[in-house]
Amino acid sequence: MILVTGATGNIGRELTRELDAKGAKLRLLVRDPARAARLPERAERAVGDLGEPATLAPAFAGVDKLFLLTQGIGTDYTAAAIAAAQAAGVQHVVHLSSFHVTFDPIPAMGRWHHEREQIIRASGIPVTFLRPGGFMTNALDWLPTIREGNYVLDPVGPGRYAPIDPADIAAVAALALTEAGHQDKEYVLTGDEMFTVAEQVRIISETIGRNIEVRETATAAEAVRFRFPNGAPQALADAITEGFTLMRADTVGFRTDTVGRLLGRRPRTFADWCARNADAFRRPENA
Ligand SMILES: NC(=O)c1ccc[n+]([C@@H]2O[C@H](COP(=O)([O-])OP(=O)(O)OC[C@H]3O[C@@H](n4cnc5c(N)ncnc54)[C@H](OP(=O)(O)O)[C@@H]3O)[C@@H](O)[C@H]2O)c1
């Protein structure tokens, strides 16, 4: 039995479909089953919350493999999940981390992921670490300013990165969960096309047939304020500001060939992701 956390999220939605298609026995840890209504019917639902450790034992009963994804900052969710996994005798964890753990020095965003990796290593359960770079779905963070005035705030200017489609991360996770040979491996995952924010926005504009303006922000902090109009925990705001600053400095764009090597095909393109998500940008008021 495979237990999937984060099943209603960007990666988890795709992963449950991949595992369903492979015929795997699977269970989804969900806080609200209504949010999982469109996920494969065949998958069991277990109601639980990583923030409430007492809810986890029933969800982990009989589980031998775990896809672990924790949102936000800190390590409490990871510690709770790994304690439940140890108690249940889980044999393999596929853990969603971040490519930031490979940086020297590790930026704040990567430090939480690094600490989570250490908790899992210390448990002794065999693990596969998935360490992706920036997701294509981060473009959905631009919807509020597109809705407000048809523009995108660009905090990274000449900085380039190789965004990855969460569907590709899910495909790698599904492989690691269902085939032998992926334990004790670390996979750094990126797309294989390099973009500035302005180049990404141009592709969205071409896809929807409407020009979206790009406005460079004076400071990365300004972009963070737009992303969290109702405020964000200071530690998270600082970490994202630091992330934007690192992206601005990288004008080449960091990328790996890991997705292609593991899946035997090229990573999905940003144009493909835009085509699948065009409605959100065409009608941002409904997104
Ligand atoms: N975005 C990037 O560029 C990037 C890059 C590298 C790494 N990452 C990492 O990727 C992860 C996010 O992946 P994603 O985009 O697929 O996630 P996402 O779309 O933000 O979804 C988060 C998932 O976590 C679930 N969740 C939240 N709090 C929970 C709790 N207390 N108990 C149980 N489940 C809970 C949510 O369920 P509900 O339906 O109940 O809300 C949802 O399924 C984070 O660890 C992030 O640091 C992101």
Side-chain angles (χ1 to χ4, degrees):
M1 171 72 76
I2 301 173
L3 180 67
V4 177
T5 61
T8 56
N10 294 312
I11 298 169
R13 279 193 299 271
E14 304 283 351
L15 175 59
T16 56
R17 287 187 197 113
E18 290 263 352
L19 292 173
D20 185 44
K22 287 177 187 281
K25 254 182 107 182
L26 80 151
R27 185 183 295 159
L28 317 179
L29 179 79
V30 291
R31 293 191 289 184
D32 174 3
R35 287 176 55 74
R38 293 169 65 182
L39 296 179
E41 263 176 46
R42 198 175 58 76
E44 289 180 18
R45 271 67 167 164
V47 177
D49 189 320
L50 293 170
E52 294 173 28
T55 64
L56 299 181
F60 278 73
V63 167
D64 58 350
K65 296 182 188 180
L66 170 67
F67 175 74
L68 181 58
L69 178 154
T70 56
Q71 211 186 17
I73 62 179
T75 56
D76 290 356
Y77 290 2
T78 308
I82 291 303
Q86 281 183 303
V90 168
Q91 300 294 309
H92 183 196
V93 176
V94 174
H95 175 65
L96 197 284
S97 179
S98 162
F99 80 148
H100 277 133
V101 302
T102 65
F103 288 26
D104 185 13
I106 300 177
M109 200 60 95
R111 284 202 290 278
W112 291 306
H113 283 289
H114 175 68
E115 287 167 18
R116 293 170 191 167
E117 288 193 4
Q118 285 187 314
I119 289 169
I120 300 169
R121 275 193 213 285
S123 75
I125 303 174
V127 61
T128 310
F129 289 119
L130 308 183
R131 296 169 166 173
F135 296 180
M136 291 183 185
T137 39
N138 294 352
L140 297 171
D141 291 345
W142 301 332
L143 288 173
T145 54
I146 293 176
R147 193 178 295 139
E148 182 190 276
N150 199 40
Y151 67 97
V152 167
L153 280 179
D154 173 9
V156 300
R160 280 203 157 70
Y161 77 121
I164 183 165
D165 190 327
D168 279 343
I169 303 172
V172 171
L175 194 74
L177 286 162
T178 57
E179 289 187 4
H182 299 285
Q183 296 189 349
D184 303 317
K185 297 275 171 60
E186 296 148 1
Y187 296 133
V188 181
L189 307 172
T190 71
D192 71 356
E193 307 168 301
M194 246 82 65
F195 295 115
T196 61
V197 164
E199 288 162 351
Q200 278 187 289
V201 174
R202 198 175 311 136
I203 292 174
I204 297 171
S205 296
E206 284 164 8
T207 306
I208 64 172
R210 187 185 81 235
N211 196 45
I212 299 170
E213 190 195 337
V214 177
R215 296 184 194 164
E216 269 207 49
T217 58
T219 63
E222 189 187 339
V224 174
R225 272 199 303 279
F226 265 87
R227 182 159 164 184
F228 300 103
N230 302 319
Q234 192 58 46
L236 180 60
D238 289 348
I240 294 174
T241 303
E242 183 187 20
F244 284 151
T245 306
L246 287 169
M247 282 174 75
R248 173 175 279 277
D250 181 3
T251 54
V252 177
F254 173 85
R255 65 177 172 167
T256 68
D257 64 359
T258 316
V259 169
R261 216 165 20 81
L262 291 171
L263 300 181
R265 61 161 173 81
R266 287 192 60 190
R268 290 171 183 238
T269 65
F270 187 61
D272 176 57
W273 182 87
C274 287
R276 283 187 281 127
N277 291 275
D279 279 351
F281 293 96
R282 269 193 204 109
R283 290 188 285 278
E285 63 282 358
N286 298 326

